[in-house]
């Protein structure tokens, strides 16, 4: 009888040890570098391509909506909504047509106008007159003909949207 109890205890202990060993072994291998839960090739080849195609589709849809809102289709509508980098040397003046927008990025510049108001500071919500300095990163609009921006530094870089002439 004692021998049967010893055999029963040994068998139970062996079964518990076997179950613990299998559980620990299985848990240790899942998610390791040898058997990852998600493979890098799946992320790079499948998932990333799916995400990028969805993003491209949404961008194309949004661009089409913006072009339709601007009232143009193709390059004509898009050209009016893009900025161009213009570099001026000291003393050069950029004259913009009505509706032309200018943003000073590098250097210093001043407003050129024969009468008031000179330029409309869209960022500050005010107007500046002839000779007033432009503030960097403020967006200015020319609402009357013969309005311009004169470079007062050796090199001036402007972002310009709309038609303009340099004299």
């Amino acid at each position: 009888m004692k021998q049967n109890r010893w055999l029963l205890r040994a068998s139970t202990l062996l079964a518990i040890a076997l179950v613990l060993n299998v559980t620990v072994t299985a848990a240790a291998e899942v998610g390791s570098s040898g058997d990852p839960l998600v493979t890098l090739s799946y992320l790079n080849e499948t998932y990333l391509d799916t995400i990028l195609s969805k993003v491209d589709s949404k961008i194309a849809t949004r661009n089409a909506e913006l072009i339709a809102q601007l009232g143009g289709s193709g390059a004509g509508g898009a050209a009016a909504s893009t900025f161009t980098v213009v570099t001026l040397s000291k003393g050069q003046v950029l004259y913009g047509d009505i509706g032309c927008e200018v943003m000073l990025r590098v250097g210093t510049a001043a407003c050129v106008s024969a009468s008031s108001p000179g330029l409309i500071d869209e960022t500050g919500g005010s107007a500046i007159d002839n000779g007033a300095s432009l503030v960097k990163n403020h967006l200015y609009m020319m609402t009357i003909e013969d309005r311009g921006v004169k470079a007062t530094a050796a090199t001036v870089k402007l972002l310009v949207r709309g038609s303009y002439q340099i004299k």
Side-chain angles (χ1 to χ4, degrees), residues 64-114:
E65 290 172 1
L66 289 174
I67 289 173
Q69 287 175 358
L70 292 173
S73 59
S81 66
T82 59
F83 281 94
T84 304
V85 177
V86 176
T87 303
L88 299 176
S89 299
K90 187 171 187 169
Q92 284 187 310
V93 180
L94 179 140
Y95 288 99
D97 290 342
I98 295 175
C100 181
E101 294 176 304
V102 178
M103 180 183 290
L104 177 64
R105 296 292 291 145
V106 175
T108 58
C111 173
V112 174
S113 67

Side-chain angles (χ1 to χ4, degrees), residues 49-80:
D49 290 341
T50 303
I51 294 296
L52 290 177
S53 67
K54 286 181 181 179
V55 168
D56 289 342
S57 172
K58 288 191 182 249
I59 288 173
T61 302
R62 184 63 181 145
N63 285 344
E65 290 172 1
L66 289 174
I67 289 173
Q69 287 175 358
L70 292 173
S73 59

Side-chain angles (χ1 to χ4, degrees), residues 24-43:
V24 169
T25 304
E29 290 184 21
V30 174
S32 67
S33 62
D35 183 24
L37 295 174
V38 178
T39 63
L40 182 60
S41 62
Y42 171 77
L43 290 176

Side-chain angles (χ1 to χ4, degrees), residues 113-138:
S113 67
S115 62
S116 184
L119 300 175
I120 304 300
D121 182 352
E122 295 181 57
T123 307
S126 60
I128 62 171
D129 293 326
N130 187 41
S133 296
L134 275 65
V135 178
K136 284 185 182 177
N137 300 320
H138 275 222

